[in-house]
Amino acid sequence: MSATEEPRRIEAARRGDLDAFNWLVLQYQSRVFNLCLRMLSDPDEAADATQEAFLSAYKAMSRFKGEGFRTWILRIATNACLDMLRSRKRKPSVSIDSWGTNEDGEETLDPLPIADLDPSIDPEGTALRLETINTIQEGLDTLPEDQRMVIVLVDVQGLSYEEAATITGANLGTVKSRVNRARSRLREYLRERNVFPSSGELSRRSERSLTDG
Amino acid sequence: MGKTYNNNEINGEGHVHDLLSTYIDKSLEEPERVRVRAHLEECVDCRADYVELQATSRMLQQMPIVAVPRAFILTPEMVKGARKTYFWERIFAPRTAPTFASGAIVAFGLLIFLAVTSTFATSAKPPLSTAFYQASPQDTIRSSATSDPGSSTGEANTMAEPTTPTEAAEAPNVSASKQSATPPSDAGDDTAMSPPVPADTPAPAVGQGGYIQPGSLITPNTQIASSGNSSPTTVALSTDTQTTDGTTQDNTAGSSPANDVTDNNVQPQPIAVQAPIAQTFDPLLTVEIGLLVIGLVLAGAYLFARRR
């Protein structure tokens, strides 16, 4: 249904129809927020960046051409994240202790039913433990911004190299090498924290997947 | 293992570390893919790298989607002044489409109304006025009696004299006629110029210099047209409905009493009933055309605003 409705809404939004634009906001706010969350690590900053992104998008709506709306809005979102990171450097360091659990011990992470991400995620049905999720997020924070950006787009959001290249404004080869380096660095980080199962078990599991390569 | 491979080491020993990421994404070309797979089966180091890289990628994919803490929709306050909407964008927004539709309907309605009333007016008025102007001095009283009780009547009483035929010439300063001290060129009044001709003259032909019996019915559309040459002022005779010539002619009849007196020649004048031509400059027609154009423009704007 949204496949046919979206072009109409986009056209109306381009003419300044705020309701039509807000329809688009509802369609894409989850993806935008999650991108900002993985990039910034802080839910409040991520919310601010998300709001900024949609506000910028509304202002720029008249310049939106025929490209995919998702690509366009994510490009605006990544710029909003980079702006937030830049201003963060000028401020006291942000605590990321709020990640995982709040004071009441409740999980602050609230997984949605997976809707607009790649349905082939978690084919083996192994959900991550909260602790692992936290460690991975911390590992992302150690990455340089450009590597973090592409690995969130490609691995976390499941986008293609091409779309990531359009979003970040880099060329394909650059995107591939950044993904490569990001994965290596993150892998080192996780290994040092014993996130990986014992090498024996990993090897046994990987024997099967070797043939998939 | 924390060792980092350099390119030479990798290439020299056939290690495939650099290619593993692409291999994981299944983006390697066929020859290299086969090579990597073969190597992985043999090389423990590379296989360990491969395994952990693949796990890293998979775990990233398994990162949960977090629910949005709130809706990020924009409120009008937030966007106030934020977006420079060109005024024409707002004019043609779908919301304003009904305005254009209403405007178009009103314009067309006015147009029809004017068209209808002008048709009636054209047929109704002139006979009386022309009758008046064609009256001889003796007839004046009579004609004034029969003439339209409108403004022309009042003037008629003062005038008391038909304008002479010579003054049927084009009347450039018809506007001055109102005062009745107009120069002789008040041809407008002179439609009915023809001298008092005995009744046996074919009555109707106003345009032919014929004598119009007071009270005779003239259908100006037919007869005025026959004259072919009408000055704007001529039409002014039927002033009650049509100020077509645009001049303040309401009573050209009364405009030139002086002329009447001086120029009292009785030869028939081709009465310049220039109704048809005058109608070309008819301000009413201009208004009608204007309304038509406006109606069409608004209708077009309505359709444009409603486009999908």
Side-chain angles (χ1 to χ4, degrees), chain B residues 134-148:
Chain B
Q134 291 207 355
S136 61
Q138 302 89 308
D139 293 337
T140 304
I141 298 177
R142 242 188 324 153
S143 48
S144 58
T146 56
S147 67
D148 191 294

Side-chain angles (χ1 to χ4, degrees), chain B residues 172-248:
Chain B
N173 356 337
V174 186
S175 42
S177 65
K178 203 147 193 351
Q179 288 312 320
S180 86
T182 41
S185 52
D186 264 337
D189 309 346
D190 300 331
T191 16
M193 274 307 266
S194 48
V197 171
D200 55 8
T201 320
V206 174
Q208 297 153 9
Y211 173 66
I212 296 184
Q213 298 286 354
S216 66
L217 253 191
I218 296 184
T219 40
N221 293 331
T222 53
Q223 293 172 350
I224 290 179
S226 63
S227 65
N229 53 334
S230 46
S231 65
T233 60
T234 307
V235 183
L237 289 178
S238 49
T239 43
D240 298 23
T241 46
Q242 296 179 345
T243 43
T244 49
D245 51 1
T247 61
T248 52

Side-chain angles (χ1 to χ4, degrees), chain A residues 21-124:
Chain A
F21 183 82
N22 280 331
W23 185 91
L24 293 167
V25 170
L26 294 176
Q27 295 293 109
Y28 289 95
Q29 62 178 4
S30 177
R31 190 180 279 276
V32 169
F33 176 73
N34 275 271
L35 169 71
C36 298
L37 189 58
R38 299 299 170 211
M39 278 299 295
L40 300 169
S41 208
D42 176 65
D44 294 328
E45 281 192 355
D48 290 345
T50 305
Q51 191 73 86
E52 258 316 301
F54 282 118
L55 197 53
S56 299
Y58 182 76
K59 292 181 199 174
M61 198 69 212
S62 56
R63 290 195 295 273
F64 173 72
K65 304 281 192 276
E67 61 188 320
F69 190 81
R70 178 175 79 184
T71 310
W72 187 72
I73 189 66
L74 286 179
R75 181 171 342 124
I76 294 177
T78 56
N79 288 332
C81 291
L82 294 175
D83 289 345
M84 189 70 70
L85 288 168
R86 241 175 279 132
S87 67
R88 181 200 275 179
K89 286 172 192 164
R90 297 194 286 268
K91 289 192 255 177
S93 63
V94 178
S95 159
I96 57 175
D97 293 338
S98 59
W99 192 258
T101 56
N102 58 18
E103 310 85 49
D104 300 335
E106 292 166 358
E107 285 186 22
T108 55
L109 294 180
D110 181 15
L112 283 170
I114 295 179
D116 52 344
L117 289 198
D118 185 28
S120 68
I121 286 178
D122 195 9
E124 292 170 351

Side-chain angles (χ1 to χ4, degrees), chain A residues 5-212:
Chain A
E5 279 188 29
E6 184 170 298
R8 267 199 308 119
R9 311 282 182 157
I10 290 176
E11 263 315 299
R14 281 179 61 184
R15 293 193 299 268
D17 186 345
L18 188 56
D19 291 335
F21 183 82
N22 280 331
W23 185 91
L24 293 167
V25 170
L26 294 176
Q27 295 293 109
Y28 289 95
Q29 62 178 4
S30 177
R31 190 180 279 276
V32 169
F33 176 73
N34 275 271
L35 169 71
C36 298
L37 189 58
R38 299 299 170 211
M39 278 299 295
L40 300 169
S41 208
D42 176 65
D44 294 328
E45 281 192 355
D48 290 345
T50 305
Q51 191 73 86
E52 258 316 301
F54 282 118
L55 197 53
S56 299
Y58 182 76
K59 292 181 199 174
M61 198 69 212
S62 56
R63 290 195 295 273
F64 173 72
K65 304 281 192 276
E67 61 188 320
F69 190 81
R70 178 175 79 184
T71 310
W72 187 72
I73 189 66
L74 286 179
R75 181 171 342 124
I76 294 177
T78 56
N79 288 332
C81 291
L82 294 175
D83 289 345
M84 189 70 70
L85 288 168
R86 241 175 279 132
S87 67
R88 181 200 275 179
K89 286 172 192 164
R90 297 194 286 268
K91 289 192 255 177
S93 63
V94 178
S95 159
I96 57 175
D97 293 338
S98 59
W99 192 258
T101 56
N102 58 18
E103 310 85 49
D104 300 335
E106 292 166 358
E107 285 186 22
T108 55
L109 294 180
D110 181 15
L112 283 170
I114 295 179
D116 52 344
L117 289 198
D118 185 28
S120 68
I121 286 178
D122 195 9
E124 292 170 351
T126 56
L128 293 177
R129 293 181 304 167
L130 194 56
E131 186 188 340
T132 312
I133 294 170
N134 288 349
T135 310
I136 292 174
Q137 182 64 51
E138 290 167 11
L140 286 173
D141 288 342
T142 64
L143 295 178
E145 287 169 10
D146 58 345
Q147 291 181 21
R148 194 186 324 162
M149 185 71 72
V150 296
I151 201 170
V152 168
L153 291 171
V154 171
D155 274 341
V156 179
Q157 298 246 330
L159 306 179
S160 67
Y161 283 141
E162 288 74 17
E163 190 167 0
T166 309
I167 291 171
T168 57
N171 64 46
L172 204 57
T174 308
V175 169
K176 283 183 179 175
S177 72
R178 282 179 186 167
V179 169
N180 199 349
R181 275 180 268 140
R183 282 174 179 162
S184 295
R185 282 176 85 133
L186 196 58
R187 169 230 173 173
E188 291 289 333
Y189 185 90
L190 296 177
R191 171 142 51 83
E192 288 164 11
R193 283 153 188 79
N194 297 313
V195 172
F196 295 118
S198 66
S199 10
E201 182 185 334
L202 258 186
S203 291
R204 246 175 283 122
R205 254 196 262 152
S206 70
E207 304 255 337
R208 272 174 280 130
S209 53
L210 263 182
T211 54
D212 298 342

